[in-house]
Amino acid sequence: MADPNQSEQKPADGDLSDAELLELFAGHGVYRDNAAQYRGRLDGQLLINRCADCARYHQPPRPMCPNCWSFDVVPTPVSGRGTIHLLMYLHAGPPADGVDYHNGGHPVVVVELEEQEHLRVTGTVHEFGPNEPSIGDAVELDFLDRGGAPIVAFRPSHPTELNHPTKPDQPSLQEHRSQD
Amino acid sequence: MARSPMKDQIAIVGVGSTGFSRGDRSPLSLALEASTAAIRDAGLTAADIDGVVATAEAGAASAPLVVSSLGLTEVSHHSRPAPLIMFSLLDAAQAVFAGTADHVLIVTPVMMSSWNSRRATQDPWRRGARSSILPVPEDSANANAYATWAGRYMHEFGASKDPFARIAVNSRSNAAANELAAMRKPLSFDEYHAGRMIRTPLNMFDMDYPADGADAFVVTTAQRAAQLPQPPVLIHAATTGVYGKNTEDQLPSLKRHGQHVVVDHLKARSDLWIDDVDLFYPYEGFTIIALSWLENCGFCEMGGAERYLAEHWNDERQRIEIDGRIPLNTHGGSLSEGATRGTGHLREAVIQLRGQAGARQVEGAKVALVTPGGFFFNSQGAILRSA
């Protein structure tokens, strides 16, 4: 893994300047302490800050490890595999390419990554076909493109196993959003 | 018992409110109307006010602007805490307790604005605040967090939307008797369930009602309060609380967040708890927040709100009455009085404890539990008592 400080002098993805990065990801909330993660997206990588001293990951990216107070935190590629922990549908919101707030709404998920308990990232889901995504589903990373800016998205890990309509003992989010 | 030297030493002696509606006045105009009403209510004049606690609410006046607009000579304490009323109440109470000021004015205007109201985006006086850079939809912070965690709550406990509906219908039923409230038309369960979905699983009736208005309070010592005209309301215990892992999507579980911190600290500093309270004001900026306060304060077990609220529902009055005795959000809460950031919850508790709530009055009410705030960065609570 490259020294994260190196990116300040010479961006790892080649020639995108800090100003260009901020412009490409306008509205994403890019700042000094998470810029490496956005540069990682341009390389097709999901980077999570990991402490070089205690090996703990943390989210969202901070300049110091909240577990051991080391400043030696390294944006580290992760597998992108995990399970859906939180799930909602937006029926209104800021306009964005490819986002449909109607027809059931735009899904937003929080996925718990397999690397560490409670380590999560937020994104959207797709490629579920006729199935409804559910809390607990196994998913894997699949960036979506939005005007050149890769968006964190997840697709089912095992599409053939997703033939579960909503489990009978669980409330269906679909049941609620169908009123839209 | 934890250290609690301020217990019962500080009193709320004045309240003033503009009421809440979709109006055309500036936040400063509303703030000044509420402030002068609260100071007069306390039997005081401008010359008595030596502290001003403003609010960092968007568009709200700074403390120096309030001081100059009220024509105060000078003040020895001023501040501008984050929105949600307990930040302001604690700051004012601590200033009085420390002797930095003797009579502190708290003033908290709220405005519907472009981030919480589509109508506000059409208003040239309000839309200026809107940024030209659009945020990314795939966000689990702030308002979206309550939709995601409401879904998690339903998943973990097999809850339906019924308890959410009861919180919303309860607030509307109570607002009918509150002339300060923005939404006083009764809400039926059918209307609730047919509400326009905003963030599944939460619909428009699960979210507070953006409105304009202001509340103000005057705080002083309990000794001084005894010389003033209104029945004093004492701050028995008050706290704010934040849990370490408070980033919305990183919260480990619903078993521990800011509300639990607040409840633990209140219980450790109070002689009074839920068996002693006559009034309960669980904030409901989102319905899930009130359900969580109910459970986390210990009225029922985690995930038990659906059963508990059905058991403690007054069908005739279409509202919650715990053990037939303790009503919730007697003023209509944030869902129906208006999105007051908890100032309405506090003001109504004070008016009830004074015995001045008219048709809404809970007979003999002496102790109120007020719990503003959600899970992540603004959980807070207070126990108030009549003197």
Side-chain angles (χ1 to χ4, degrees):
Chain A
M1 189 64 215
D3 177 356
N5 295 320
Q6 201 182 344
S7 68
E8 289 181 18
Q9 294 136 25
K10 191 180 176 189
D13 52 285
D15 48 7
L16 208 60
S17 69
D18 288 344
E20 288 165 336
L21 184 78
L22 288 165
E23 189 180 343
L24 180 61
F25 287 104
H28 289 244
V30 182
Y31 50 98
R32 284 183 191 272
D33 294 331
N34 66 13
Q37 279 70 20
Y38 287 91
R39 291 188 182 279
R41 289 191 194 184
L42 295 171
D43 297 332
Q45 290 186 320
L46 181 61
L47 302 180
I48 304 289
N49 272 8
R50 188 177 199 186
C51 180
D53 288 331
C54 75
R56 293 285 293 176
Y57 292 94
H58 69 262
Q59 263 280 79
R62 304 287 188 223
M64 188 190 82
C65 173
N67 185 55
C68 75
W69 292 6
S70 167
F71 278 87
D72 195 2
V73 291
V74 181
T76 304
V78 292
S79 68
R81 286 189 297 273
T83 55
I84 297 177
H85 192 79
L86 304 175
L87 166 67
M88 68 173 291
Y89 296 88
L90 287 169
H91 303 273
D97 283 349
V99 173
D100 180 9
Y101 292 114
H102 306 290
N103 304 308
H106 182 60
V108 176
V109 293
V110 174
V111 169
E112 184 151 323
L113 300 173
E114 66 178 11
E115 277 78 5
Q116 185 174 297
E117 189 183 26
H118 302 149
L119 182 73
R120 306 189 193 123
V121 294
T122 294
T124 187
V125 283
H126 72 152
E127 292 186 8
F128 271 74
N131 299 299
E132 177 193 358
S134 297
I135 290 173
D137 283 351
V139 291
E140 60 188 27
L141 181 68
D142 179 30
F143 287 111
L144 289 175
D145 178 72
R146 188 177 293 154
I151 301 297
V152 173
F154 293 89
R155 64 185 175 211
S157 301
H158 312 288
T160 53
E161 292 173 18
L162 275 174
N163 293 321
H164 59 74
T166 304
K167 296 124 195 159
D169 57 334
Q170 284 170 358
S172 165
L173 283 177
Q174 184 71 48
E175 183 183 312
H176 295 288
R177 77 190 169 116
S178 64
Q179 294 155 359
D180 179 47
Chain B
M1 202 74 180
R3 207 168 59 83
S4 187
M6 200 166 75
K7 183 166 70 184
D8 297 334
Q9 298 301 304
I10 304 299
I12 300 169
V13 294
V15 294
S17 182
T18 58
F20 294 83
S21 63
R22 300 196 149 174
D24 56 3
R25 293 170 60 187
S26 72
L28 180 60
S29 172
L30 295 162
L32 295 175
E33 181 185 328
S35 296
T36 50
I39 296 166
R40 289 187 179 118
D41 179 67
L44 299 171
T45 68
D48 298 307
I49 301 300
D50 57 358
V52 169
V53 175
T55 173
E57 180 75 29
S62 67
L65 180 53
V66 171
V67 169
S68 65
S69 301
L70 282 173
L72 304 186
T73 308
E74 54 195 41
V75 302
S76 53
H77 176 83
H78 67 100
S79 64
R80 195 179 195 181
L84 259 62
I85 186 59
M86 219 45 75
F87 292 124
S88 298
L89 183 69
L90 268 169
D91 182 74
Q94 288 164 354
V96 172
F97 190 67
T100 319
D102 290 325
H103 304 102
V104 177
L105 171 73
I106 297 167
V107 58
T108 48
V110 294
M111 300 290 285
M112 51 189 271
S113 54
S114 52
W115 61 266
N116 65 4
S117 161
R118 199 175 302 177
R119 185 190 297 200
T121 63
Q122 310 300 318
D123 180 344
W125 298 105
R126 302 173 199 260
R127 70 184 175 205
R130 188 161 202 157
S131 167
S132 60
I133 296 174
L134 296 170
V136 181
E138 293 83 9
D139 184 10
S140 52
N142 300 310
N144 285 5
Y146 290 100
T148 63
W149 284 103
R152 183 78 199 180
Y153 175 89
M154 294 168 74
H155 171 84
E156 285 189 22
F157 300 106
S160 74
K161 282 300 293 293
D162 180 68
F164 297 75
R166 288 189 199 273
I167 294 294
V169 171
N170 173 78
S171 283
R172 193 63 69 80
S173 298
N174 284 334
N178 176 11
E179 63 278 4
L180 301 176
M183 292 293 279
R184 301 176 66 184
K185 188 173 145 296
L187 177 71
S188 73
F189 281 89
D190 286 347
E191 286 169 321
Y192 168 86
H193 288 297
R196 182 164 55 90
M197 271 295 166
I198 309 290
R199 303 176 184 97
T200 297
L202 301 183
N203 74 28
M204 60 186 287
F205 295 117
D206 290 300
M207 302 171 184
D208 58 9
Y209 184 80
D212 297 348
D215 278 308
F217 304 86
V218 178
V219 168
T220 188
T221 63
Q223 291 93 325
R224 175 74 175 119
Q227 304 160 348
L228 295 174
Q230 297 291 355
V233 171
L234 303 178
I235 303 170
H236 182 69
T239 194
T240 62
V242 71
Y243 181 63
K245 296 182 191 305
N246 55 61
T247 308
E248 290 94 328
D249 61 356
Q250 308 297 317
L251 183 72
S253 86
L254 289 167
K255 291 184 185 134
R256 189 78 187 169
H257 50 62
Q259 292 187 348
H260 304 86
V261 179
V262 166
V263 166
D264 287 352
H265 281 248
L266 276 184
K267 285 168 84 168
R269 284 163 180 77
S270 175
D271 303 331
L272 306 162
W273 192 236
I274 58 174
D275 289 340
D276 309 297
V277 308
D278 307 301
L279 303 158
F280 182 29
Y281 295 92
Y283 179 74
E284 18 71 288
F286 295 97
T287 46
I288 182 65
I289 294 174
L291 295 177
S292 302
W293 277 122
L294 184 81
E295 296 177 357
N296 294 330
C297 287
F299 286 97
C300 61
E301 74 284 8
M302 259 197 94
E306 179 156 5
R307 172 194 57 77
Y308 188 83
L309 290 181
E311 287 172 8
H312 296 263
W313 185 254
N314 182 326
D315 205 47
E316 187 186 335
R317 300 183 71 176
Q318 288 290 291
R319 70 172 195 168
I320 301 157
E321 289 176 5
I322 295 172
D323 298 330
R325 190 177 71 83
I326 308 170
L328 265 61
N329 294 330
T330 48
H331 60 309
S334 291
L335 293 171
S336 288
E337 187 190 57
T340 65
R341 321 281 186 260
T343 66
H345 301 72
L346 176 64
R347 181 231 315 127
E348 174 74 358
V350 170
I351 290 173
Q352 288 276 355
L353 291 172
R354 287 177 175 185
Q356 298 172 348
R360 303 188 311 280
Q361 184 64 44
V362 176
E363 283 309 313
K366 289 187 166 52
V367 179
L369 174 59
V370 185
T371 53
F375 301 170
F376 308 104
F377 44 77
N378 55 20
S379 311
Q380 44 191 245
I383 294 175
L384 307 178
R385 66 187 301 178
S386 53

